[in-house]
Amino acid sequence: MASLKNIKLKIISVKKTSTVTRAMEAVSAVKMRKSQERALSTRMFAAAALSALERLAGSADMSSYPLMQSHPGKTVIIVVTSDKGLAGSLNSAIIKKAETEIRDRGLSVAETIIIAIGRRGADYFANRGYEVRVRHENVSDDISETDVRSITDTLIAAHASGEVGTALVVYQNFISTFEQHPSMRQIVPVTAETMRDFVQHIRPARGKYAPTEATTDSHATMPYSIEPSAEAVLAVLLPKLLNIAIFHALLENKASEHSARMVAMKNATDNAKERAKQYTRTFNKIRQASITREISEITSGIEAMR
């Protein structure tokens, strides 16, 4: 009977777990739809804003602007992760991508500065001796572009002082509900090539937010008349473009996070249901064997009394 009691407690425990994971799946599904819509709807805006840099390239010499200059210095890696777990391999894939980039570039701990958006990435690199200069935790799903500006300002100041030569952003690029890819993009120094690469990866190939024929035409070499001057326009445009790039990476990661968590919770719910069925079958087998044994004992007793 003790064995039956233990199995029954396991069945109750697994069913309670299933209830929790099912509720978390429902919550993540709601957040996922909202985050997906926000990330997808801003892709066209981000693509248009970043494409403006390519168009200016045909009108002015932008190489003299500080953000577009390359110089020796440390490398900043903006690592975008989540604050919470239970999202499958989402965070581990981002961290692995960042570590791979550090290794491939031959960077030491002293040559690397981490800007962490999300507790998971901040804790991981801080525990391994990296300088985590900026930590942004408890990031709301409703975060705005203005909220990211402090990160952009820190990055621009470090680059202007000569301390930082290169900046990268590592995040999960949202492909679909069941597919997210860890991605790395270089955002400093700002060049038409790096921005073109960024634009190409944030535009979906199909669907509502895919680029139209009008947006896919090349205007990179069209001459522009710039007022008051190219320097004045770039002084406003480049920091804005940099901020948009960081902000969009955060939105993509948010959509990927909720998608991954919903899938993980669905898998957990399905596994809990299957485990409950297995325990129930085992419970029934043991109980049936116990009943059969008791009937056999009763029958044997009756036969003995005769």
Side-chain angles (χ1 to χ4, degrees):
M1 295 302 293
S3 179
L4 286 175
K5 183 178 180 181
N6 289 337
I7 294 175
K8 191 171 183 178
L9 290 174
K10 288 181 179 179
I11 293 173
I12 294 172
S13 176
V14 170
K15 285 183 176 179
K16 287 181 178 179
T17 301
S18 175
T19 301
V20 173
T21 55
R22 186 164 57 247
M24 293 179 68
E25 177 189 348
V27 171
S28 295
V30 174
K31 291 183 177 181
M32 176 197 69
R33 285 190 289 270
K34 182 179 179 181
S35 297
Q36 284 179 356
E37 183 68 20
R38 194 177 183 204
L40 290 171
S41 63
T42 57
R43 279 179 169 179
M44 291 303 294
F45 169 72
L50 294 172
S51 294
L53 181 63
E54 291 184 300
R55 302 186 183 192
L56 280 174
S59 305
D61 179 15
M62 301 185 298
S63 60
S64 61
Y65 192 78
L67 270 179
M68 304 195 73
Q69 294 177 356
S70 178
H71 56 73
K74 295 182 179 180
T75 298
V76 168
I77 300 182
I78 302 174
V79 182
V80 187
T81 58
S82 67
D83 289 315
K84 302 176 183 178
L86 301 177
S89 60
L90 179 93
N91 293 319
S92 60
I94 296 170
I95 291 171
K96 184 178 179 181
K97 183 72 174 178
E99 288 186 317
T100 299
E101 196 63 32
I102 291 172
R103 183 174 61 253
D104 291 346
R105 290 173 178 260
L107 300 173
S108 65
V109 173
E111 296 171 326
T112 307
I113 298 173
I114 301 295
I115 293 179
I117 303 177
R119 183 179 298 114
R120 296 288 171 167
D123 291 344
Y124 181 89
F125 285 101
N127 291 337
R128 283 156 181 78
Y130 288 89
E131 178 190 354
V132 181
R133 181 161 298 185
V134 179
R135 296 175 66 123
H136 275 260
E137 300 177 359
N138 300 318
V139 179
S140 169
D141 290 346
D142 298 323
I143 189 171
S144 67
E145 183 190 344
T146 306
D147 298 328
V148 185
R149 191 56 196 259
S150 62
I151 296 176
T152 305
D153 291 342
T154 300
L155 183 57
I156 292 174
H159 183 267
S161 68
E163 180 187 13
V164 170
T166 305
L168 316 171
V169 58
V170 182
Y171 63 102
Q172 282 281 2
N173 192 39
F174 176 78
I175 307 299
S176 68
T177 302
F178 299 98
E179 185 180 5
Q180 302 89 37
H181 287 166
S183 302
M184 185 283 298
R185 303 281 178 259
Q186 178 178 314
I187 55 176
V188 174
V190 180
T191 66
E193 290 73 20
T194 58
M195 291 297 103
R196 187 183 302 115
D197 178 67
F198 200 99
V199 169
Q200 288 174 349
H201 284 87
I202 67 176
R203 284 176 168 173
R206 299 177 301 277
K208 176 181 177 182
Y209 302 103
T212 62
E213 291 184 3
T215 60
T216 53
D217 292 339
S218 175
H219 299 284
T221 59
M222 290 182 61
Y224 274 20
S225 296
I226 304 174
E227 294 182 357
S229 66
E231 291 73 16
V233 172
L234 289 172
V236 176
L237 178 63
L238 289 184
K240 186 73 172 178
L241 292 177
L242 189 58
N243 199 61
I244 289 172
I246 297 172
F247 176 61
H248 193 81
L250 177 57
L251 291 184
E252 291 280 340
N253 202 78
K254 276 290 182 183
S256 299
E257 175 189 346
H258 293 309
S259 297
R261 183 169 291 115
M262 186 200 72
V263 173
M265 291 301 99
K266 183 182 185 303
N267 292 336
T269 300
D270 293 342
N271 291 337
K273 289 180 178 178
E274 182 61 30
R275 182 58 60 89
K277 289 180 181 178
Q278 293 175 357
Y279 282 140
T280 300
R281 284 195 293 267
T282 302
F283 179 86
N284 290 338
K285 286 180 181 179
I286 295 176
R287 184 177 63 176
Q288 186 61 46
S290 177
I291 293 173
T292 302
R293 184 175 61 254
E294 290 177 0
I295 292 175
S296 177
E297 291 174 354
I298 292 173
T299 304
S300 300
I302 293 175
E303 292 295 329
M305 289 176 65
R306 292 179 181 176

